[in-house]
Amino acid sequence: MVRAIFRAIDMADRSPLGGQLQLKVYYPAVYTGTPEQKNTGLLPAAPGDTPRPVAILMPGINVAAESYGWIARALAEAGFVAITYGWIAEEMPGLPALTPGLDIAALAPDRYGKSPSATALQALLDDLHRMNSNGPLSNQLNPGRVLLGGHSAGGSVALLNANPAWFSGLQAVFAYGSHSKASTMLGYPPETYLNLPSALPTLILGGSEDGVIAASAFRYGQGDAPPDPVTPLMQTFSQALSRRQGDSHLALVRGANHFSFCDPADPATGRPFLDWPTTRDDVEIRQDIRSLVCDFARARVCSDADAERRLGALLADGARISVSATH
């Protein structure tokens, strides 16, 4: 079965608001019926292929960690230890929010690419070593095999910071509903895409009905351009990602929208009021997303040949994937 533990990381030195990163760590577990397990609910890690790879899931702005529990559980079932987290910080003055952790100044034209913009990631990676040294997951984690992923703004942070020269242990990266288009408010001209580090196998996912991306065109100087939910993802893959090793993929899930990656989705936070309706069954859509993420994770981090074959078959399924590409 999959179980989870909670952890906290003090972030007082990393944000004016201070506070904590609040982690939920999902892992494959086993129940043996001991009195301690019955009393505390804390189950030991299941035997298996250890130490296990780790997946870190970066949230969208004002999207609670529980919305990503479903994909974290799926990754744990696939053999990973999966981490979701929440952090309230003030990335923009006067607007405290749940955030993946982003230094917006590091994205400015004179600074981009010179230093990381992910302000929570190193703290999360450091905590892997603490978890691995004591507690219920001691000797269960492999900090040298990390899948970095995210949704919406969290996916963009993941893509822009998927650089093992900055963050040791990263092996692959994925993002859903995310791109690298640069905001004109940062001083970039319209239609600018920030080049990705392109150092790791990359999976860029999105939905054909992403109303949030379509409604956000004004941020990038597009003015009254027709709503377009997919071009930013396609251009990020074709222009911003220079990696050409046959291990990176673009997949737009037919009928999915921006918040198809969230279950449950909370209509009171984030920007779901901008989203378009899904046009396929939501359970089927999430199953496709689950398969894409987990098979990519197994193929790229664990060198799983069966997962590689499943991934290739789904990418070629035009009934479920509206646009796909590999390079």
Side-chain angles (χ1 to χ4, degrees), residues 34 83 111 121 127 137 167 207 281 326:
T34 67
I83 299 172
R111 290 185 56 187
L121 183 52
D127 198 52
L137 295 179
F167 299 107
D281 180 76
T326 294

Side-chain angles (χ1 to χ4, degrees), residues 28-176:
V30 61
Y31 175 55
T32 61
T34 67
E36 182 181 6
Q37 291 170 19
K38 293 177 182 178
N39 187 47
T40 66
L42 181 61
L43 305 188
D49 185 15
T50 56
R52 299 183 187 278
V54 177
I56 295 174
L57 304 175
M58 309 188 91
I61 298 293
N62 283 327
V63 182
E66 287 303 311
S67 291
Y68 306 113
W70 73 279
I71 193 66
R73 290 189 292 272
L75 284 162
E77 290 170 354
F80 284 70
V81 172
I83 299 172
T84 64
Y85 66 94
W87 185 26
I88 296 177
E90 194 171 287
E91 316 289 20
M92 299 179 65
L95 293 174
L98 277 170
T99 173
L102 173 62
D103 179 3
I104 294 176
L107 303 181
D110 61 339
R111 290 185 56 187
Y112 177 69
K114 297 178 181 178
S115 63
S117 57
T119 54
L121 183 52
Q122 191 59 58
L124 292 162
L125 295 172
D126 291 344
D127 198 52
L128 297 183
H129 296 277
R130 290 189 288 270
M131 275 191 277
N132 209 31
S133 64
N134 60 72
L137 295 179
S138 62
N139 301 313
Q140 293 291 314
L141 310 181
N142 187 342
R145 289 199 299 163
V146 176
L147 170 72
L148 181 62
H151 166 239
S152 194
S156 293
V157 174
L159 291 173
L160 298 176
N161 289 274
N163 185 347
W166 290 344
F167 299 107
S168 177
L170 300 186
Q171 295 288 298
V173 60
F174 80 89
Y176 183 93

Side-chain angles (χ1 to χ4, degrees), residues 153-309:
S156 293
V157 174
L159 291 173
L160 298 176
N161 289 274
N163 185 347
W166 290 344
F167 299 107
S168 177
L170 300 186
Q171 295 288 298
V173 60
F174 80 89
Y176 183 93
S178 314
H179 55 80
S180 72
K181 204 165 192 180
S183 172
T184 55
M185 291 185 291
L186 293 175
Y188 289 96
E191 299 300 314
T192 298
Y193 286 84
L194 300 178
N195 290 328
L196 303 182
S198 303
L200 302 175
T202 301
L203 176 65
I204 296 178
L205 296 173
S208 64
E209 312 304 314
D210 193 322
V212 175
I213 287 179
S216 300
F218 70 93
R219 294 178 172 178
Y220 312 104
Q222 292 179 257
D224 296 326
D228 184 352
V230 299
T231 296
L233 278 69
M234 296 169 64
Q235 295 293 83
T236 296
F237 186 76
S238 63
Q239 292 186 19
L241 181 66
S242 62
R243 187 178 179 87
R244 298 292 187 274
Q245 298 187 27
D247 56 8
S248 297
H249 312 280
L250 167 73
L252 301 181
V253 180
R254 191 175 296 280
N257 64 17
H258 193 75
F259 285 94
S260 290
F261 198 74
C262 300
D263 183 34
D266 182 356
T269 62
R271 298 190 295 158
F273 52 85
L274 296 174
D275 220 352
W276 295 351
T278 55
T279 59
R280 278 203 299 144
D281 180 76
D282 289 331
V283 173
E284 292 180 0
I285 287 171
R286 276 192 297 278
Q287 181 56 52
D288 288 344
I289 295 171
R290 170 185 174 139
S291 297
L292 288 162
V293 170
C294 291
D295 285 336
F296 173 79
R298 292 288 310 173
R300 299 292 168 257
V301 180
C302 306
S303 301
D304 184 329
D306 290 335
E308 182 80 53
R309 286 190 289 271

